[in-house]
Every structure is written in structure tokens, then in C-alpha cells.
Amino acid sequence: MTKSALITGVTGQDGSYLAEFLLEKKYKVYGLRRRTSTPNYENVEHIKDQIEWIDGDLTDLSSLIRAVQESQPDEVYNLGAQSFVATSWPQPIATGEITAMGVTNMLEAVRIVKPSAKFYQASSSEMFGKVQETPQKETTPFWPRSPYGAAKMYGHWITVNYRESFNMFACSGILFNHESPRRGMEFVTRKVANAAARIKLGLQNELRMGNLDAKRDWGFAGDYVKAMWLMLQQDTPDDYVISSGETHTVEELLEIAFNYVGLNWRDYVVIDEKFVRPAEVDLLLGDCSKAKERLGWKLEVGFKELVEMMVESDLNKNAKGS
Ligand code: NAP
Ligand code: F7E
């Protein structure tokens, strides 16, 4: 029998890869889209006609109830969020309403309309923040360092709570940074990949950056959405860390991206205080042994390959003028 899935955040990076993955598995895919003055389907243009679109917003419970009624999903993937950490300081309340309370809204819609649906919550390594141990795993205590991290921590615990209170099949994936050519332009990997490409093509002559010493555990988004699906195929709901198990500095990212186009990043990068955050997450490194053992999940794309894939994609896009 055809399974159906409801995805919030389907127009974002992860939503687009997950929708592709589920369509290949012959799911009927429902995508929640919010109203914007100019709709942006860039990430899902190629599969737009295969998605059943439902208008709604994570801050509007009534729209989510309607979305669950209309889609009658077997699986719900809650990927929608205000996901840019830097924006969470100037917009802490909107971040809380979407990224934290939006999770309760989605859980309530599922509980009221179709409590048997399996639920995935997009938790984040940002919850580890000022890390209490390295590497970080499922049992590592959280210490968020941004309004975004604090909002994700609420979303994480309310998901655990609905599992424990209402016996719902609710899972939380604690995903470390994952990137792709579909990454939003403000995130550091895409910003660097796009700048390296544009400087190479003579379209830009400098790159303004923040803290180059920050360390992140970066993987490929296409690999990570498979883990989301695997979590919902288990007999019992649980929480899992998904990570690459390697950590790299922002400086290493610059090195690989600029080397790929035959340039030295030091000739172009300018440090700009505007991109330094009020509180930083200095080091992230995940231990995903639990996911490897129980889900059989594994990483396929390594860090260098990922950065080069992103620069190559931005070389092509910029050369075509898109
Ligand atoms: P993204 O590209 O920023 O996508 C976010 C999505 O959320 C977009 O589709 C956006 O819609 C939607 N959205 C925003 N506000 C909404 C609202 N009020 N109602 C409904 N939808 C709304 O994020 P991503 O990188 O794909 O990440 C997916 C999820 O995983 C997010 O929850 C993120 O916080 C979490 N996460 C990401 C990472 C990572 O490294 N990528 C790591 C851990 C956790 P529009 O297109 O209309 O803006
Ligand atoms: O920053 C440093 C910055 O914005 C990475 C989101 O998907 O992953 C992401 O959050 C690092 C930080 O991602 C610039 O200070 C230096 O240390 O790419 P980012 P993030 O904040 O790690 C987590 C897991 C999520 O859940 C989030 O949704 O890079 N950095 N200079 C810079 N970052 C940016 N954006 N721009 C700079 O110029």
C-alpha cells in the first residue's frame, strides 16, 4: 500500500532532499508551504508537480490540523524552522514561535487528528552549544548558546514528552551540520563556496567573514535525510545523533574551497565584526555510533568532496548567471 508523508519545511534544503527520497520510494508526499509575497520553489522545482501542496504555517495550529486531516499521513517530518542561528538574536521571539512552539503545534495537530502517525523532529547539534563532553552523543547534556539553540532544545524535549505522555511514535534526530548545493546562501559553507566561485569568475573581489576558528562536524544533506526516514522505520521510537565524526575549522573550509579554484583565500577574506556572533559554539564533533549500529546508517560523502561539490555547483550557476 502507498504510504503518505507530510513534510514541513519542504522548500528548504533538507525538505527537498527528503521529498525526492520519499518520492523514489513511491510515497505520496504532502508539502506544507507558507505564504510569501514571492514564492520560492528553487530547491523543489524539479519535483514541484509530484508534491501535493498544502498551505499552512507552523505558528498557526488550525492550518496544521487541516494539513493532517487532508494528508492523513503515515509519517510526519517536521523540518520547518527559522533555522539561521545568527538571525535568532535579532529575531528571538519569531524564532521561538516557529522553531520551538511550532513543534508543539505540529505535535498537537498529529495527536488530535492522527495520533498513530509517526513523527520526526529536526533537532540540532546547536543544542550542545558550550559542549559538556567531546564527542557529543545522545546522552551529552545540552547547553544552547543562541535563541535558536534554546528553541531547538524545547522542540526536542516536547517531542520526547509527547512520546512519553501520549505513547506517540515520536523521534528526534540530533543532526550535526549538513550542507549541499541547495544550502541557503547565508550559511557559511554556501557563502564560501559561492564566493570562491564568484571571485574565480571575476564577479566579486572580497569575502567578509566572522570567526574562522569555529569547528563544525559537516556532512552532506543527501546522506542525512536517509537517517530521518530510517528512524521512522524502526519498531520503537528513539532519538539519534547523526554526524560525520570529523571536525573542521571554518579556515579549513576556506582552504579547500579556494584551492579548488586555484586561489589563496588569504588574498580575499576580510574579517568583519558584523559576522561574529554574541555567543559562539566553538566546537562540534558528533558520535553517531548508535545510528550506525541500530539504523545501519552510514555517511557516503566526505568533507572535501562535499565542499568541492558545492564550489563546482556555484561555478556552474554563476557562469550561467543564475
Ligand atoms: P532551511 O533550508 O532553512 O529550511 C527551513 C524550512 O522551514 C523552509 O522550507 C521554510 O520555508 C520553512 N519555514 C520557515 N518558517 C516556517 C513557518 N513559520 N511555517 C512553515 N514553514 C516554515 O533549513 P534546513 O537546513 O533544510 O533544515 C531543516 C530542519 O533541520 C530545520 O528545522 C533546521 O533547524 C534543522 N537542522 C538543520 C541542520 C543543518 O545543518 N541543515 C542541522 C540540524 C538541524 P520558506 O521556504 O517559506 O522559507
Ligand atoms: O555557521 C562561523 C559561525 O551559519 C557555522 C544551521 O543549519 O547548523 C547550522 O548552524 C560556523 C559558525 O551554521 C561566518 O560563527 C564564520 O561558528 O553555517 P553556519 P551554524 O550556526 O553551525 C546547525 C546544526 C543548525 O541546526 C542550524 O540550523 O561558521 N562563521 N564566519 C560564519 N557563519 C556564517 N553564517 N557566516 C559567516 O560569515
Side-chain angles (χ1 to χ4, degrees):
M1 233 176 56
T2 312
K3 279 193 186 175
S4 68
L6 171 64
I7 305 176
T8 73
V10 71
T11 53
Q13 171 189 256
D14 291 9
S16 67
Y17 283 106
L18 180 66
E20 259 171 32
F21 178 76
L22 295 177
L23 286 168
E24 273 165 32
K25 291 203 169 294
K26 307 286 177 223
Y27 275 64
K28 183 155 187 168
V29 174
Y30 292 84
L32 190 84
R33 69 178 164 198
R34 60 175 173 162
R35 198 261 162 189
T36 50
S37 58
T38 312
N40 180 3
Y41 293 103
E42 194 182 332
N43 289 332
V44 284
E45 201 60 66
H46 58 299
I47 48 170
K48 190 171 169 228
D49 297 342
Q50 296 172 63
I51 296 173
E52 305 285 334
W53 293 97
I54 301 179
D55 294 323
D57 193 296
L58 283 169
T59 58
D60 183 341
L61 174 62
S62 63
S63 71
L64 302 180
I65 289 179
R66 203 171 31 77
V68 180
Q69 277 167 342
E70 210 172 305
S71 56
Q72 291 296 320
D74 297 296
E75 297 168 11
V76 175
Y77 295 87
N78 186 38
L79 310 185
Q82 190 302 94
S83 76
F84 189 42
V85 173
T87 290
S88 74
W89 279 282
Q91 296 180 28
I93 296 167
T95 301
E97 282 170 353
I98 302 166
T99 306
M101 205 47 75
V103 186
T104 308
N105 285 337
M106 199 62 244
L107 281 163
E108 273 293 276
V110 173
R111 185 186 68 79
I112 293 165
V113 181
K114 197 167 184 227
S116 61
K118 294 180 171 182
F119 183 87
Y120 173 85
Q121 169 56 20
S123 285
S124 165
S125 54
E126 271 294 300
M127 301 186 302
F128 295 123
K130 187 172 172 184
V131 297
Q132 301 298 293
E133 66 177 342
T134 297
Q136 297 86 48
K137 50 183 186 284
E138 291 79 3
T139 50
T140 304
F142 301 136
W143 188 315
R145 293 274 281 171
S146 62
Y148 169 82
K152 278 290 174 188
M153 200 171 138
Y154 172 85
H156 179 80
W157 283 117
I158 199 71
T159 301
V160 173
N161 182 261
Y162 269 55
R163 180 167 77 218
E164 294 176 353
S165 306
F166 304 115
N167 205 23
M168 281 169 59
F169 195 109
C171 299
S172 207
I174 307 174
L175 271 52
F176 282 62
N177 299 53
H178 45 280
E179 320 293 315
S180 74
R182 298 183 197 166
R183 189 55 144 152
M185 209 55 100
E186 71 268 65
F187 296 93
V188 77
T189 51
R190 184 72 194 283
K191 180 173 169 177
V192 167
N194 190 46
R198 288 177 62 82
I199 291 171
K200 179 69 183 173
L201 295 169
L203 300 170
Q204 184 174 326
N205 49 29
E206 69 168 24
L207 169 59
R208 304 188 84 82
M209 300 280 300
N211 173 19
L212 305 190
D213 297 327
K215 290 185 172 165
R216 287 291 180 279
D217 176 326
W218 278 294
F220 172 52
D223 289 342
Y224 285 41
V225 298
K226 293 179 190 160
M228 299 175 184
W229 177 78
L230 282 168
M231 285 178 215
L232 299 197
Q233 310 316 307
Q234 305 307 303
D235 293 334
T236 48
D238 207 342
D239 308 322
Y240 298 87
V241 158
I242 302 296
S243 63
S244 77
E246 279 181 25
T247 192
H248 299 276
T249 58
V250 173
E251 190 173 313
E252 284 174 78
L253 162 69
L254 284 163
E255 194 86 39
I256 296 174
F258 278 74
N259 272 352
Y260 186 72
V261 292
L263 299 173
N264 183 346
W265 67 268
R266 290 174 199 278
D267 296 335
Y268 304 96
V269 170
V270 177
I271 301 301
D272 185 337
E273 283 301 311
K274 196 170 86 186
F275 296 107
V276 176
R277 297 174 179 184
E280 178 64 286
V281 171
D282 296 321
L283 161 75
L284 289 175
L285 174 61
D287 171 359
C288 66
S289 328
K290 180 175 167 184
K292 281 186 180 158
E293 280 160 28
R294 301 205 194 157
L295 306 178
W297 177 80
K298 63 177 190 322
L299 188 85
E300 281 168 28
V301 178
F303 179 59
K304 184 165 181 281
E305 194 186 340
L306 169 66
V307 177
E308 293 182 349
M309 174 210 297
M310 292 177 70
V311 180
E312 185 62 37
S313 162
D314 278 325
L315 279 168
N316 290 330
K317 284 184 186 165
N318 281 289
K320 280 192 224 140
S322 63

